[in-house]
Amino acid sequence: MSTVLETVGDGVVLIRVRGSLDGWDGTAELTEALAAAANGGGRLTVVDLSGVEFADSTALHALLDGRREHDDAGKRLVAAGPLSVNVRRLFEVTGTLDAFRFTADVETAIAG
């Protein structure tokens, strides 16, 4: 599991996540990256979930907390895909699909 936080220009922060996000691995890194992005100088944070093969409720909790932090800071948070079947199912089963703005890919999220 890896989480990489980078600024890609024009106030856009990109968080690239790869591997599995669960209670055992990766969620703490994602939580830290989301908090840093919410408290940083960017106007938009894009979370690239296209490389995530599996996510559980701890990952969802981290994303929901990150969304709240971004809302509180007046910043946008967008989740970019394409999502794996397992990750998409997590959002569907928990009824949280509408809690996030999803785009087909990172480029679309950055563009707008």
Side-chain angles (χ1 to χ4, degrees), residues 18-36:
R18 300 287 179 259
S20 292
L21 283 173
D22 56 43
W24 301 105
D25 191 25
T27 303
E29 290 176 18
L30 176 60
T31 298
E32 290 172 14
L34 286 165

Side-chain angles (χ1 to χ4, degrees), residues 11-93:
V12 178
V13 176
L14 176 61
I15 301 172
R16 291 190 188 273
V17 187
R18 300 287 179 259
S20 292
L21 283 173
D22 56 43
W24 301 105
D25 191 25
T27 303
E29 290 176 18
L30 176 60
T31 298
E32 290 172 14
L34 286 165
N39 295 313
R43 63 175 175 77
L44 167 67
T45 301
V46 177
V47 181
D48 177 7
L49 298 174
S50 65
V52 176
E53 300 144 12
F54 173 80
D56 70 5
S57 62
T58 55
L60 180 59
H61 190 284
L63 288 165
L64 288 167
D65 284 348
R67 191 205 64 191
R68 182 186 41 76
E69 289 175 323
H70 278 74
D71 288 348
D72 291 348
K75 298 178 180 182
R76 289 181 34 222
L77 176 67
V78 177
L83 301 178
S84 72
V85 171
N86 293 329
V87 173
R88 182 163 187 81
R89 181 138 173 82
L90 173 67
F91 289 108
E92 291 172 346
V93 167

